[in-house]
Amino acid sequence: MWQKIKNLTLCTLLAVMLILLFINSKSVNLGAFKGLVVCAEIIIPSLFIFSVIGIFLVSSNCLSSLNKLITPFSKFAFGLGGNLFFIFLISLFSGYPIGAKLIDNSVKNKEIDESTANTILCYCVNAGPAFVVLAVGEKVFLSKNLGYVLLLSHVLTSIIFAVFLRSKITNTKIAEKDSPQNWGDTFVSSVSDATHSIINICAFVVLFSVICEVLKEYNLKLILPFFEITTGIITTKNLYFTAFLLGFGGISIQLQVLSVITSFKVNKIKFFLFRILHGAISAALTFGFIKILKLTLPVLSNNQSFAPSLSSLSLGASVCFICSAVVLISSLKTKKTAI
């Protein structure tokens, strides 16, 4: 009975959404265009390179020589073996959902169990420094210093979680590779994985950008930030709420994270609650740092908006997107040939 009600509700919501999209075709076009511009100007430049490097470092096993050196410290501080500690570090610098992807790979390689994966997932979903400092701090709040404050609060919250959850870590080991590895193949595979992740992210950004643009037509702006944080941050321009959104991630980010995890069952309630807690602590830390450092918040005009245009597309972003598409197509061709 409950399943029938659930299916009926879902079908009704989808039907309503399709009708709204059809009625507001101009908003759909504008939302899709805005989403694509955000992807080209912010998402791809700030995440793609970091994603490739992060996946390559873990997949190539080139950090294995450092595992024994770092493990005593990482075990004591966070309960993490050297390999998981590096995943934690990479998640801090690569941006979501790369940390989740690396955790999924670890489960697939039988380096950790499902319980440990769900534990470290609580603090390995982080916004990348380039996105926080450059895209949010410099472009939205017109101050790199505020970007650094947001980043510090965001990272410190993840570290706090890692410290307090260290007793929950179980069954970790360092994977040993029996045969010599071809770094060329690993690099190509890393670029392909990063490309899939970025395209996945961009798809969600465009989808939720369209949804947000349609919701604006019905004066539902208050709930927009909880759907897609890039659009939400640009819309609200409130520093403390932005700190919350970076930790919370928004529904779009959370779905991106869940979409890259295929090797274990995510405890969705735990994951969602920790996203809320991450956002709340980040906002509180940001407030504290602003008061301690006595930083002045810029006065932002309510009329200031993110105005997408074809001329705003950077050459670097365009090249990255084209290269990503080429790599993806080549990867699909290779798989088809192998079959």
Side-chain angles (χ1 to χ4, degrees), residues 4 39 46 93 117 153 182 188 206 220 246 274-275 308 314 336:
K4 289 183 179 180
C39 292
S46 64
F93 293 100
S153 303
N182 186 322
V188 171
V206 172
L220 297 172
L246 288 171
F274 265 91
R275 297 326 304 161
S314 67
K336 189 175 180 180

Side-chain angles (χ1 to χ4, degrees), residues 129 132-134 137 143-153 289:
V132 177
V133 177
L134 300 179
S143 170
K144 277 189 178 181
N145 289 334
L146 292 179
Y148 287 123
V149 169
L150 288 170
L151 179 63
L152 179 61
S153 303
F289 287 137

Side-chain angles (χ1 to χ4, degrees), residues 22-244:
F22 179 76
I23 295 173
N24 300 280
S25 57
K26 289 184 178 179
S27 296
V28 171
N29 292 336
L30 180 60
F33 182 64
K34 283 184 177 181
L36 288 171
V37 172
V38 168
C39 292
E41 283 199 328
I42 298 176
I43 303 299
I44 297 173
S46 64
L47 289 182
F48 181 66
I49 299 300
F50 289 99
S51 301
V52 173
I53 294 174
I55 295 174
F56 177 77
L57 285 174
V58 174
S59 302
S60 65
N61 207 34
C62 62
L63 296 174
S64 59
S65 59
L66 298 176
N67 278 341
K68 291 183 180 180
L69 294 177
I70 202 69
T71 293
F73 164 75
S74 60
K75 278 282 189 182
F76 172 77
F78 308 111
L80 302 173
N83 55 333
L84 290 185
F85 180 68
F86 285 126
I87 289 177
F88 176 39
L89 287 182
I90 291 170
S91 74
L92 294 176
F93 293 100
S94 297
Y96 24 57
I98 303 306
K101 175 66 176 174
L102 296 177
I103 293 171
D104 185 65
N105 289 346
S106 293
V107 175
K108 189 183 301 182
N109 296 332
K110 298 182 179 180
E111 297 173 18
I112 57 176
D113 58 17
E114 185 174 305
S115 174
T116 296
N118 273 293
T119 298
I120 63 179
L121 187 64
C122 294
Y123 52 82
C124 284
V125 177
N126 300 286
F131 175 74
V132 177
V133 177
L134 300 179
V136 178
E138 189 173 30
K139 288 192 176 183
V140 177
F141 292 99
L142 312 177
S143 170
K144 277 189 178 181
N145 289 334
L146 292 179
Y148 287 123
V149 169
L150 288 170
L151 179 63
L152 179 61
S153 303
H154 189 68
V155 170
L156 190 56
T157 302
S158 291
I159 293 175
I160 292 171
F161 284 168
V163 171
F164 280 93
L165 292 174
R166 66 183 184 275
S167 61
K168 304 292 184 180
I169 304 297
T170 60
N171 187 30
T172 66
K173 65 180 181 179
I174 299 174
E176 299 289 344
K177 297 191 182 290
D178 299 327
S179 56
Q181 202 167 18
N182 186 322
W183 280 17
D185 291 342
T186 303
F187 178 73
V188 171
S189 176
S190 300
V191 174
S192 181
D193 283 349
T195 302
H196 281 281
S197 297
I198 293 299
I199 290 178
N200 187 48
I201 293 170
C202 290
F204 277 104
V205 169
V206 172
L207 172 63
F208 280 90
S209 178
V210 169
I211 292 174
C212 289
E213 201 63 34
V214 172
L215 290 177
K216 286 180 185 178
E217 295 291 327
Y218 299 93
N219 296 319
L220 297 172
K221 295 181 179 180
L222 290 177
I223 65 173
L224 298 186
F226 298 100
F227 282 92
E228 207 285 303
I229 67 165
T230 307
T231 303
I233 290 170
I234 293 170
T235 303
T236 62
K237 299 185 182 69
N238 180 287
L239 185 71
Y240 306 120
F241 189 49
T242 294
F244 172 82

Side-chain angles (χ1 to χ4, degrees), residues 222-296:
L222 290 177
I223 65 173
L224 298 186
F226 298 100
F227 282 92
E228 207 285 303
I229 67 165
T230 307
T231 303
I233 290 170
I234 293 170
T235 303
T236 62
K237 299 185 182 69
N238 180 287
L239 185 71
Y240 306 120
F241 189 49
T242 294
F244 172 82
L245 290 176
L246 288 171
F248 176 66
I251 303 301
S252 175
I253 295 296
Q254 293 176 24
L255 290 177
Q256 291 169 32
V257 170
L258 295 177
S259 70
V260 301
I261 295 175
T262 58
S263 301
F264 67 96
K265 185 177 180 180
V266 178
N267 186 332
K268 295 181 179 66
I269 295 177
K270 180 180 179 180
F271 174 70
F272 183 73
L273 290 177
F274 265 91
R275 297 326 304 161
I276 295 176
L277 188 59
H278 195 295
I281 295 176
S282 294
L285 289 175
T286 299
F287 179 81
F289 287 137
I290 292 295
K291 295 300 180 184
I292 293 171
L293 299 175
K294 297 180 179 178
L295 295 177
T296 303

